PDB file of all heavy atoms in Angstrom:
ATOM      1  N   VAL A 311     -22.743  -9.123  -1.201  1.00  0.00           N
ATOM      2  CA  VAL A 311     -22.838 -10.506  -1.680  1.00  0.00           C
ATOM      3  C   VAL A 311     -21.749 -10.803  -2.704  1.00  0.00           C
ATOM      4  O   VAL A 311     -21.857 -11.761  -3.466  1.00  0.00           O
ATOM      5  CB  VAL A 311     -24.228 -10.812  -2.271  1.00  0.00           C
ATOM      6  CG1 VAL A 311     -25.307 -10.706  -1.216  1.00  0.00           C
ATOM      7  CG2 VAL A 311     -24.534  -9.882  -3.449  1.00  0.00           C
ATOM      8  N   THR A 312     -20.705  -9.987  -2.717  1.00  0.00           N
ATOM      9  CA  THR A 312     -19.602 -10.215  -3.642  1.00  0.00           C
ATOM     10  C   THR A 312     -18.426 -10.838  -2.895  1.00  0.00           C
ATOM     11  O   THR A 312     -18.436 -10.945  -1.675  1.00  0.00           O
ATOM     12  CB  THR A 312     -19.154  -8.898  -4.305  1.00  0.00           C
ATOM     13  OG1 THR A 312     -18.984  -7.894  -3.292  1.00  0.00           O
ATOM     14  CG2 THR A 312     -20.201  -8.422  -5.288  1.00  0.00           C
ATOM     15  N   GLY A 313     -17.380 -11.228  -3.642  1.00  0.00           N
ATOM     16  CA  GLY A 313     -16.216 -11.849  -3.030  1.00  0.00           C
ATOM     17  C   GLY A 313     -16.602 -13.123  -2.308  1.00  0.00           C
ATOM     18  O   GLY A 313     -17.418 -13.918  -2.792  1.00  0.00           O
ATOM     19  N   GLN A 314     -16.055 -13.332  -1.126  1.00  0.00           N
ATOM     20  CA  GLN A 314     -16.330 -14.571  -0.412  1.00  0.00           C
ATOM     21  C   GLN A 314     -17.769 -14.669   0.062  1.00  0.00           C
ATOM     22  O   GLN A 314     -18.256 -15.758   0.380  1.00  0.00           O
ATOM     23  CB  GLN A 314     -15.378 -14.736   0.765  1.00  0.00           C
ATOM     24  CG  GLN A 314     -15.437 -13.661   1.828  1.00  0.00           C
ATOM     25  CD  GLN A 314     -14.054 -13.217   2.249  1.00  0.00           C
ATOM     26  OE1 GLN A 314     -13.409 -12.459   1.539  1.00  0.00           O
ATOM     27  NE2 GLN A 314     -13.572 -13.694   3.372  1.00  0.00           N
ATOM     28  N   ASN A 315     -18.488 -13.548   0.086  1.00  0.00           N
ATOM     29  CA  ASN A 315     -19.902 -13.596   0.474  1.00  0.00           C
ATOM     30  C   ASN A 315     -20.808 -14.082  -0.639  1.00  0.00           C
ATOM     31  O   ASN A 315     -21.990 -14.306  -0.408  1.00  0.00           O
ATOM     32  CB  ASN A 315     -20.353 -12.218   0.974  1.00  0.00           C
ATOM     33  CG  ASN A 315     -20.047 -12.014   2.445  1.00  0.00           C
ATOM     34  OD1 ASN A 315     -20.787 -12.455   3.315  1.00  0.00           O
ATOM     35  ND2 ASN A 315     -18.926 -11.376   2.724  1.00  0.00           N
ATOM     36  N   SER A 316     -20.275 -14.248  -1.848  1.00  0.00           N
ATOM     37  CA  SER A 316     -21.107 -14.770  -2.943  1.00  0.00           C
ATOM     38  C   SER A 316     -21.537 -16.210  -2.677  1.00  0.00           C
ATOM     39  O   SER A 316     -22.523 -16.687  -3.251  1.00  0.00           O
ATOM     40  CB  SER A 316     -20.349 -14.687  -4.270  1.00  0.00           C
ATOM     41  OG  SER A 316     -19.192 -15.498  -4.257  1.00  0.00           O
ATOM     42  N   GLN A 317     -20.823 -16.915  -1.797  1.00  0.00           N
ATOM     43  CA  GLN A 317     -21.204 -18.293  -1.470  1.00  0.00           C
ATOM     44  C   GLN A 317     -22.575 -18.359  -0.808  1.00  0.00           C
ATOM     45  O   GLN A 317     -23.227 -19.417  -0.824  1.00  0.00           O
ATOM     46  CB  GLN A 317     -20.157 -18.925  -0.552  1.00  0.00           C
ATOM     47  CG  GLN A 317     -20.035 -18.251   0.800  1.00  0.00           C
ATOM     48  CD  GLN A 317     -19.061 -18.946   1.725  1.00  0.00           C
ATOM     49  OE1 GLN A 317     -19.327 -20.027   2.227  1.00  0.00           O
ATOM     50  NE2 GLN A 317     -17.905 -18.324   1.934  1.00  0.00           N
ATOM     51  N   TYR A 318     -23.037 -17.235  -0.227  1.00  0.00           N
ATOM     52  CA  TYR A 318     -24.306 -17.229   0.484  1.00  0.00           C
ATOM     53  C   TYR A 318     -25.495 -16.832  -0.392  1.00  0.00           C
ATOM     54  O   TYR A 318     -26.635 -16.830   0.076  1.00  0.00           O
ATOM     55  CB  TYR A 318     -24.225 -16.288   1.688  1.00  0.00           C
ATOM     56  CG  TYR A 318     -23.200 -16.709   2.698  1.00  0.00           C
ATOM     57  CD1 TYR A 318     -21.965 -16.067   2.781  1.00  0.00           C
ATOM     58  CD2 TYR A 318     -23.435 -17.776   3.556  1.00  0.00           C
ATOM     59  CE1 TYR A 318     -21.007 -16.467   3.700  1.00  0.00           C
ATOM     60  CE2 TYR A 318     -22.477 -18.181   4.481  1.00  0.00           C
ATOM     61  CZ  TYR A 318     -21.269 -17.528   4.540  1.00  0.00           C
ATOM     62  OH  TYR A 318     -20.314 -17.940   5.441  1.00  0.00           O
ATOM     63  N   ILE A 319     -25.238 -16.505  -1.646  1.00  0.00           N
ATOM     64  CA  ILE A 319     -26.327 -16.092  -2.536  1.00  0.00           C
ATOM     65  C   ILE A 319     -27.397 -17.172  -2.661  1.00  0.00           C
ATOM     66  O   ILE A 319     -28.600 -16.873  -2.517  1.00  0.00           O
ATOM     67  CB  ILE A 319     -25.784 -15.669  -3.913  1.00  0.00           C
ATOM     68  CG1 ILE A 319     -24.972 -14.378  -3.792  1.00  0.00           C
ATOM     69  CG2 ILE A 319     -26.928 -15.461  -4.905  1.00  0.00           C
ATOM     70  CD1 ILE A 319     -24.260 -13.981  -5.074  1.00  0.00           C
ATOM     71  N   PRO A 320     -27.047 -18.444  -2.929  1.00  0.00           N
ATOM     72  CA  PRO A 320     -28.112 -19.464  -3.038  1.00  0.00           C
ATOM     73  C   PRO A 320     -28.959 -19.582  -1.775  1.00  0.00           C
ATOM     74  O   PRO A 320     -30.182 -19.745  -1.860  1.00  0.00           O
ATOM     75  CB  PRO A 320     -27.324 -20.759  -3.313  1.00  0.00           C
ATOM     76  CG  PRO A 320     -26.055 -20.301  -3.944  1.00  0.00           C
ATOM     77  CD  PRO A 320     -25.726 -19.007  -3.253  1.00  0.00           C
ATOM     78  N   MET A 321     -28.321 -19.501  -0.600  1.00  0.00           N
ATOM     79  CA  MET A 321     -29.084 -19.594   0.639  1.00  0.00           C
ATOM     80  C   MET A 321     -30.018 -18.397   0.816  1.00  0.00           C
ATOM     81  O   MET A 321     -31.178 -18.543   1.206  1.00  0.00           O
ATOM     82  CB  MET A 321     -28.137 -19.677   1.833  1.00  0.00           C
ATOM     83  CG  MET A 321     -27.493 -21.041   2.045  1.00  0.00           C
ATOM     84  SD  MET A 321     -28.669 -22.394   2.217  1.00  0.00           S
ATOM     85  CE  MET A 321     -29.688 -21.824   3.561  1.00  0.00           C
ATOM     86  N   LEU A 322     -29.514 -17.203   0.507  1.00  0.00           N
ATOM     87  CA  LEU A 322     -30.360 -16.014   0.628  1.00  0.00           C
ATOM     88  C   LEU A 322     -31.512 -16.053  -0.366  1.00  0.00           C
ATOM     89  O   LEU A 322     -32.637 -15.653  -0.045  1.00  0.00           O
ATOM     90  CB  LEU A 322     -29.524 -14.744   0.412  1.00  0.00           C
ATOM     91  CG  LEU A 322     -28.688 -14.276   1.604  1.00  0.00           C
ATOM     92  CD1 LEU A 322     -27.915 -13.017   1.241  1.00  0.00           C
ATOM     93  CD2 LEU A 322     -29.559 -14.017   2.825  1.00  0.00           C
ATOM     94  N   GLU A 323     -31.243 -16.533  -1.574  1.00  0.00           N
ATOM     95  CA  GLU A 323     -32.325 -16.651  -2.558  1.00  0.00           C
ATOM     96  C   GLU A 323     -33.359 -17.682  -2.110  1.00  0.00           C
ATOM     97  O   GLU A 323     -34.553 -17.515  -2.354  1.00  0.00           O
ATOM     98  CB  GLU A 323     -31.743 -17.010  -3.920  1.00  0.00           C
ATOM     99  CG  GLU A 323     -30.959 -15.865  -4.548  1.00  0.00           C
ATOM    100  CD  GLU A 323     -30.393 -16.196  -5.908  1.00  0.00           C
ATOM    101  OE1 GLU A 323     -30.215 -17.391  -6.212  1.00  0.00           O
ATOM    102  OE2 GLU A 323     -30.120 -15.265  -6.686  1.00  0.00           O
ATOM    103  N   PHE A 324     -32.909 -18.733  -1.451  1.00  0.00           N
ATOM    104  CA  PHE A 324     -33.844 -19.730  -0.916  1.00  0.00           C
ATOM    105  C   PHE A 324     -34.713 -19.112   0.178  1.00  0.00           C
ATOM    106  O   PHE A 324     -35.943 -19.243   0.166  1.00  0.00           O
ATOM    107  CB  PHE A 324     -33.058 -20.921  -0.368  1.00  0.00           C
ATOM    108  CG  PHE A 324     -33.912 -21.985   0.259  1.00  0.00           C
ATOM    109  CD1 PHE A 324     -34.597 -22.903  -0.528  1.00  0.00           C
ATOM    110  CD2 PHE A 324     -34.036 -22.075   1.643  1.00  0.00           C
ATOM    111  CE1 PHE A 324     -35.391 -23.892   0.057  1.00  0.00           C
ATOM    112  CE2 PHE A 324     -34.817 -23.052   2.243  1.00  0.00           C
ATOM    113  CZ  PHE A 324     -35.505 -23.968   1.437  1.00  0.00           C
ATOM    114  N   TYR A 325     -34.087 -18.420   1.114  1.00  0.00           N
ATOM    115  CA  TYR A 325     -34.833 -17.821   2.219  1.00  0.00           C
ATOM    116  C   TYR A 325     -35.688 -16.634   1.779  1.00  0.00           C
ATOM    117  O   TYR A 325     -36.697 -16.324   2.404  1.00  0.00           O
ATOM    118  CB  TYR A 325     -33.866 -17.348   3.311  1.00  0.00           C
ATOM    119  CG  TYR A 325     -33.238 -18.456   4.116  1.00  0.00           C
ATOM    120  CD1 TYR A 325     -31.886 -18.407   4.457  1.00  0.00           C
ATOM    121  CD2 TYR A 325     -33.980 -19.541   4.563  1.00  0.00           C
ATOM    122  CE1 TYR A 325     -31.295 -19.404   5.219  1.00  0.00           C
ATOM    123  CE2 TYR A 325     -33.402 -20.554   5.325  1.00  0.00           C
ATOM    124  CZ  TYR A 325     -32.055 -20.481   5.643  1.00  0.00           C
ATOM    125  OH  TYR A 325     -31.472 -21.469   6.392  1.00  0.00           O
ATOM    126  N   SER A 326     -35.262 -15.932   0.722  1.00  0.00           N
ATOM    127  CA  SER A 326     -35.960 -14.705   0.317  1.00  0.00           C
ATOM    128  C   SER A 326     -36.978 -14.934  -0.793  1.00  0.00           C
ATOM    129  O   SER A 326     -37.767 -14.034  -1.091  1.00  0.00           O
ATOM    130  CB  SER A 326     -34.951 -13.666  -0.163  1.00  0.00           C
ATOM    131  OG  SER A 326     -34.327 -14.102  -1.366  1.00  0.00           O
ATOM    132  N   ASN A 327     -36.937 -16.119  -1.399  1.00  0.00           N
ATOM    133  CA  ASN A 327     -37.845 -16.422  -2.510  1.00  0.00           C
ATOM    134  C   ASN A 327     -37.761 -15.354  -3.598  1.00  0.00           C
ATOM    135  O   ASN A 327     -38.762 -14.850  -4.095  1.00  0.00           O
ATOM    136  CB  ASN A 327     -39.285 -16.574  -2.023  1.00  0.00           C
ATOM    137  CG  ASN A 327     -40.144 -17.330  -3.023  1.00  0.00           C
ATOM    138  OD1 ASN A 327     -39.628 -18.100  -3.840  1.00  0.00           O
ATOM    139  ND2 ASN A 327     -41.449 -17.113  -2.975  1.00  0.00           N
ATOM    140  N   LYS A 328     -36.500 -15.004  -3.912  1.00  0.00           N
ATOM    141  CA  LYS A 328     -36.203 -14.083  -5.009  1.00  0.00           C
ATOM    142  C   LYS A 328     -36.516 -12.618  -4.705  1.00  0.00           C
ATOM    143  O   LYS A 328     -36.563 -11.794  -5.624  1.00  0.00           O
ATOM    144  CB  LYS A 328     -36.908 -14.500  -6.308  1.00  0.00           C
ATOM    145  CG  LYS A 328     -36.576 -15.914  -6.779  1.00  0.00           C
ATOM    146  CD  LYS A 328     -35.111 -16.087  -7.095  1.00  0.00           C
ATOM    147  CE  LYS A 328     -34.807 -17.488  -7.624  1.00  0.00           C
ATOM    148  NZ  LYS A 328     -33.402 -17.690  -7.975  1.00  0.00           N
TER     149      LYS A 328
END
Side-chain angles (χ1 to χ4, degrees):
V311 296
T312 48
Q314 61 225 78
N315 275 278
S316 63
Q317 64 176 288
Y318 298 103
I319 292 173
M321 283 304 305
L322 281 180
E323 290 181 337
F324 178 79
Y325 287 138
S326 67
N327 199 24
K328 303 298 183 179

